[in-house]
Amino acid sequence: MPRRKRNAGSSSDGTEDSDFSTDPEHTDSSESDGTSRRSARVTRSSARLSQSSQDSSPVRNPPSFGAEEPVYSTRRVTRSQQQPTPVTPKKYPLRQTRSSGSETEQVVDFSDRGHLTGKHERHFSISGCPLYHNLSADECKAPTERQLRYKEKVAELRKKRNSGLSKEQKEKYMEHRQTYGNTREPLLENLTSEYDLELFRRAQARASEDLEKLRLQGQITEGSNMIKTIAFGRYELDTWYHSPYPEEYARLGRLYMCEFCLKYMKSQTILRRHMAKCVWKHPPGDEIYRKGSISVFEVDGKKNKIYCQNLCLLAKLFLDHKTLYYDVEPFLFYVMTEADNTGCHLIGYFSKEKNSFLNYNVSCILTMPQYMRQGYGKMLIDFSYLLSKVEEKVGSPERPLSDLGLISYRSYWKEVLLRYLHNFQGKEISIKEISQETAVNPVDIVSTLQALQMLKYWKGKHLVLKRQDLIDEWIAKEAKRSNSNKIMDPSCLKWTPPKGT
């Protein structure tokens, strides 16, 4: 069905005055004299609309301004010569094209003025829209007096909690819900104290700002759903962070993965068909360590690019600071698995640069959520330092560390130092000797000694205090551990340092 053209430049009576702004002084003079010329400022868009209306209208009625026909200047007016005019928010038509080819128009009431944080003049998503949260743009700009009042009267505001809602308030909330539905947030007043409600508003504003930053950077798109769960082997794992999977997979909210080749699929049926044909039962690469059911495979990012990329995408679901996804060729991946009669199941991994100028022995490290708090994280860390000992180098993890990674490394460094001090029989100790024997960077050793309050400065010298209480506590923990298989055995390592690529 052909669309009907609109005469944007002509009014109902045939006069072409809808897109021109007249000068007030000339308007007054024309009303008094009736013969003076009407001056107007012509923009490019109004000139085009006027020309189109002239072409489309077969009959034109003469204008009724006076005896003389108004003459419009056709000289091009640049933007610098135009006078600024106040811009008022308009309702713009939103066109939705259907499969049949017909178009429908829907008027959107939300303007882009204001932001929920109060820091910006405009917003680009509904999460930052003040009107959606039943606020105005001015209300989002928190005044200083209000902040001071909350700071001084926090105790009072927390005490002012309503025990329940009155009948009128409930009716008001129900009416708001029936009127707006899911297009607006429910009313939150009188549900808790004003202080808690204000904290919730601030958290909302900060979350919306972070989401918009990710959207502007292209990491997520507006309206897309992040992956919330993954089916991985016999486990169903809830994700923690966003990972840049392709949009057609990310918007599903749930992914199905092969736990051996790490390919991701859209449905359970596709996964079942893939598992029937997949011949992988362990990671690609060389098996360089095996003790019992625990194995470690060395995977070259250049030789097995697709597998390493899928591994990085999977790791990003549980790591916040990871930025490496597709450029995997300069890295080696050491994948730890647990074997049974069905294959080698992924426990965790760490990546390492092939040629690190800063002697980093770990670039990224991850333990899968189903294997956390079982000692596998320390095994991966211990294995990375074991490789550094074979290379006769001193290693350190690449910064910044994630929250869980920092906790694991501090615990590992503490155990290494306490074990060394427990076996040390001399009177003078050297940080350099500890570093050479344990392959731990001297900076990490000093920071750990300071955290344990074992490093003191006395009479111009640094002294290392041998705290027997910490050593006894560590010995007691070691005695309680019955999992002797959670310790890396250097004799089971069959590995030669790569000579570089």
Side-chain angles (χ1 to χ4, degrees):
M1 181 177 180
R3 292 178 56 187
R4 184 178 58 188
K5 292 186 178 181
R6 299 181 181 178
N7 296 334
S10 61
S11 61
S12 59
D13 57 351
T15 58
E16 299 177 354
D17 59 348
S18 60
D19 285 315
F20 303 99
S21 59
T22 59
D23 194 348
E25 297 180 357
H26 290 264
T27 303
D28 296 339
S29 62
S30 63
E31 291 179 355
S32 60
D33 299 336
T35 58
S36 60
R37 182 179 303 175
R38 183 184 180 188
S39 63
R41 179 167 51 88
V42 183
T43 59
R44 298 186 206 176
S45 59
S46 61
R48 286 196 298 267
L49 290 174
S50 177
Q51 184 67 28
S52 62
S53 64
Q54 293 174 10
D55 298 339
S56 60
S57 301
V59 180
R60 293 183 58 196
N61 296 328
S64 58
F65 293 118
E68 186 176 349
E69 183 178 355
V71 179
Y72 298 100
S73 174
T74 59
R75 183 174 58 89
R76 178 174 295 179
V77 181
T78 60
R79 295 186 180 179
S80 60
Q81 297 172 350
Q82 297 179 7
Q83 298 179 358
T85 57
V87 180
T88 57
K90 299 180 180 180
K91 296 180 180 180
Y92 298 97
L94 176 65
R95 298 191 179 276
Q96 298 178 350
T97 304
R98 298 179 182 176
S99 58
S100 61
S102 61
E103 293 182 351
T104 59
E105 292 189 1
Q106 177 183 357
V107 178
V108 181
D109 292 334
F110 298 121
S111 64
D112 59 352
R113 190 174 67 86
H115 197 276
L116 191 60
T117 60
K119 301 178 181 179
H120 312 288
E121 296 297 331
R122 298 179 60 191
H123 60 271
F124 302 95
S125 65
I126 195 173
S127 59
C129 178
L131 186 59
Y132 172 77
H133 298 286
N134 305 311
L135 297 171
S136 64
D138 297 333
E139 290 176 349
C140 293
K141 298 179 180 179
T144 307
E145 297 179 359
R146 191 177 182 184
Q147 293 178 351
L148 293 176
R149 185 185 65 183
Y150 280 133
K151 187 175 181 180
E152 294 173 357
K153 299 182 179 181
V154 168
E156 294 183 14
L157 292 174
R158 282 202 176 273
K159 293 178 181 178
K160 294 180 181 179
R161 295 176 179 268
N162 272 342
S163 57
L165 297 176
S166 62
K167 186 177 180 180
E168 292 78 7
Q169 291 173 344
K170 291 182 180 179
E171 292 177 355
K172 181 180 178 181
Y173 292 165
M174 292 299 297
E175 182 182 357
H176 183 274
R177 172 59 69 182
Q178 293 175 0
T179 303
Y180 297 104
N182 295 327
T183 60
R184 287 198 184 183
E185 184 183 67
L187 296 177
L188 303 177
E189 288 75 11
N190 299 319
L191 293 179
T192 183
S193 67
E194 295 182 6
Y195 179 72
D196 291 327
L197 184 59
E198 182 68 19
L199 290 179
F200 177 71
R201 293 293 189 196
R202 292 179 184 177
Q204 271 187 327
R206 185 170 181 179
S208 66
E209 188 176 23
D210 293 342
L211 286 175
E212 287 190 355
K213 286 181 180 179
L214 292 176
R215 178 179 176 272
L216 293 176
Q217 293 172 1
Q219 297 185 19
I220 61 174
T221 56
E222 183 66 24
S224 64
N225 295 323
M226 294 180 1
I227 299 172
K228 298 179 180 178
T229 59
I230 59 172
F232 193 80
R234 61 178 182 271
Y235 299 99
E236 181 176 340
L237 306 177
D238 294 331
T239 62
W240 300 350
Y241 303 102
H242 174 266
S243 183
Y245 279 95
E247 185 178 356
E248 57 179 323
Y249 293 90
R251 65 188 178 190
L252 298 175
R254 180 186 178 92
L255 280 186
Y256 299 85
M257 293 188 184
C258 175
E259 60 177 332
F260 300 116
C261 67
L262 302 184
K263 290 184 178 179
Y264 45 89
M265 286 145 274
K266 296 182 179 180
S267 65
Q268 182 71 34
T269 304
I270 300 177
L271 177 62
R272 193 184 310 113
R273 293 175 179 175
H274 170 81
M275 295 301 295
K277 298 182 295 182
C278 185
V279 297
W280 289 32
K281 295 301 178 184
H282 60 80
D286 302 327
E287 185 179 11
I288 61 175
Y289 179 90
R290 180 190 292 182
K291 182 179 181 181
S293 60
I294 303 298
S295 299
V296 178
F297 292 83
E298 184 184 53
V299 185
D300 192 340
K302 187 176 182 180
K303 297 179 181 178
N304 303 278
K305 188 174 181 179
I306 301 299
Y307 177 87
C308 295
Q309 289 178 350
N310 292 337
L311 183 61
C312 290
L313 290 174
L314 173 63
K316 182 61 182 69
L317 293 172
F318 308 101
L319 294 176
D320 187 18
H321 299 285
K322 183 173 179 58
T323 57
L324 172 68
Y325 311 121
Y326 300 105
D327 187 18
V328 296
E329 296 183 3
F331 294 87
L332 292 171
F333 295 80
Y334 296 90
V335 185
M336 180 177 289
T337 62
E338 184 180 23
D340 58 10
N341 54 357
T342 60
C344 297
H345 305 280
L346 177 65
I347 294 178
Y349 86 100
F350 70 88
S351 60
K352 177 181 179 180
E353 284 186 277
K354 296 178 181 177
N355 299 303
S356 177
F357 296 100
L358 299 177
N359 289 332
Y360 288 139
N361 60 357
V362 168
S363 294
C364 178
I365 186 169
L366 170 73
T367 304
M368 294 297 291
Q370 66 268 29
Y371 291 100
M372 287 184 177
R373 303 187 64 83
Q374 300 179 30
Y376 291 107
K378 290 184 180 179
M379 290 181 65
L380 285 170
I381 297 175
D382 194 15
F383 188 78
S384 67
Y385 281 105
L386 179 59
L387 298 183
S388 298
K389 292 177 183 178
V390 177
E391 292 177 325
E392 297 181 354
K393 294 181 180 179
V394 174
S396 179
E398 185 176 343
R399 268 69 170 183
L401 290 170
S402 62
D403 297 336
L404 295 178
L406 182 60
I407 293 174
S408 300
Y409 266 97
R410 283 179 176 174
S411 178
Y412 174 79
W413 292 332
K414 176 182 175 181
E415 288 189 6
V416 168
L417 289 177
L418 293 179
R419 182 184 296 109
Y420 183 87
L421 293 176
H422 176 65
N423 298 327
F424 185 74
Q425 303 297 331
K427 294 183 178 181
E428 293 184 358
I429 194 171
S430 172
I431 300 295
K432 186 176 180 180
E433 293 177 359
I434 301 177
S435 177
Q436 292 177 351
E437 185 169 341
T438 61
V440 179
N441 193 288
V443 178
D444 299 329
I445 295 175
V446 172
S447 64
T448 306
L449 290 175
Q450 290 176 345
L452 297 176
Q453 297 181 357
M454 298 176 64
L455 189 63
K456 300 294 181 181
Y457 185 77
W458 185 67
K459 290 185 179 181
K461 294 182 180 181
H462 290 280
L463 301 179
V464 177
L465 302 181
K466 187 176 181 180
R467 294 184 55 181
Q468 193 62 35
D469 55 341
L470 294 178
I471 296 177
D472 295 339
E473 182 180 353
W474 168 76
I475 293 175
K477 287 184 179 180
E478 288 290 320
K480 292 181 180 179
R481 289 179 180 175
S482 58
N483 299 330
S484 59
N485 58 342
K486 298 294 178 66
I487 300 175
M488 302 303 294
D489 189 357
S491 61
C492 298
L493 176 65
K494 309 297 180 183
W495 180 73
T496 303
K499 297 181 180 180
T501 56

